[in-house]
Amino acid sequence: MQDPQSPAADDVDNCVTDLRTALAAHGITLPSLRADLLTFAGTYAPPVGLVALGNCNTVTARKLAAVLRGGLDLDLPATPKAVPDLRRAVRLHLGGPCADVQLCVTELVANVIRHVGEGALVRVRVARVDGGRIRIEVTDPDTRALPVLVHTTGDDEAGRGLALLDAVALRWGVEPGMRGKTVWCEVQEA
C-alpha cells in the first residue's frame, strides 16, 4: 500500500477526483460492484499508480476526464520550443481561429519560463465554460513565483505579458495549491 502522503498518492487522489467529477457531470455512475469504484480506485496502488477504473494509468484517466469535460488537458515542459505546438493544439481543440486564447496561453507559459524556469513541467487546460467563455489554466510547480500586474513604460523590455492578458481577458486570477499554483483567465469566445 502506498503512503497516502506521497506525491504519487496525491496524484492518484487528484486524478480520481477529476474523473469522478467528469463522470458525474455526464450522469455516469458505476454501482455494479456495490462500491464506489472511483474511491476504490484511489486505494489501488501498484508500482505505476494505476487507476482501477479501466486499469489505466493517471495520464489516461486525466485524458478521459478531459474528454468528458470537453476540454484540452496537456502536460508539457515549459519551453519556447513547445509554445507553437501548444498554440496549434489549442486552435485544433477549439476548431478554428482563437487569437485571444492563443495569446493568453502563450503569455501564461512564457511567464512560467521566465519566472519559474525553462523546462518546468506545466499542465495547460483549455475548456469552454458557461456564458460563451473559454477558460485557460496553466499550473506550474512553484508556489512562490506569483504573477503581479505591473505598469510598464515605453522603454521597459519586460513586464507586458500580464498587461496583455489583463486587456484581453474578462477576468483572471491565481489559485495557490499545496504543490504549485494555477494561473487562469477567461476570455469571451469569438
Side-chain angles (χ1 to χ4, degrees):
M1 184 67 120
Q2 206 169 27
D3 174 13
Q5 299 302 316
S6 73
D10 285 347
D11 193 38
V12 171
D13 288 344
N14 291 336
C15 183
V16 168
T17 299
D18 285 351
L19 193 51
R20 178 186 294 118
T21 302
L23 288 169
H26 288 272
I28 299 171
T29 57
L30 302 168
S32 61
L33 296 178
R34 295 184 186 199
D36 178 4
L37 183 58
L38 294 173
T39 299
F40 173 75
T43 64
Y44 183 67
V48 193
L50 295 178
V51 175
L53 177 63
N55 200 27
C56 62
N57 62 29
T58 55
V59 172
T60 301
R62 274 199 195 91
K63 287 179 181 177
L64 175 59
V67 167
L68 291 168
R69 281 194 310 264
L72 177 69
D73 197 346
L74 299 172
D75 292 322
L76 58 123
T79 63
K81 202 165 127 178
V83 172
D85 289 337
L86 179 57
R87 283 194 301 257
R88 191 171 14 273
V90 167
R91 186 178 64 249
L92 289 171
H93 170 71
L94 294 175
C98 52
D100 288 350
V101 176
Q102 289 173 306
L103 173 69
C104 291
V105 166
T106 299
E107 291 304 328
L108 291 175
V109 172
N111 275 350
V112 172
I113 294 168
R114 182 175 178 95
H115 299 288
V116 177
E118 186 171 334
L121 293 178
V122 295
R123 171 166 293 150
V124 177
R125 292 179 206 90
V126 177
R128 287 181 170 92
V129 294
D130 294 336
R133 294 169 293 145
I134 297 174
R135 183 175 173 100
I136 300 112
E137 298 178 355
V138 174
T139 302
D140 70 66
D142 193 336
T143 57
R144 298 165 296 140
L146 298 176
V148 177
L149 182 61
V150 295
H151 298 288
T152 59
T153 66
D155 294 333
D156 292 333
E157 293 185 22
R160 290 184 176 84
L162 280 179
L164 283 170
L165 184 95
D166 190 57
V168 170
L170 298 169
R171 60 190 193 130
W172 67 276
V174 181
E175 295 174 359
M178 294 295 290
R179 300 190 192 289
K181 68 180 169 303
T182 299
V183 183
W184 61 269
C185 67
E186 292 180 358
V187 298
Q188 192 65 45
E189 188 165 11

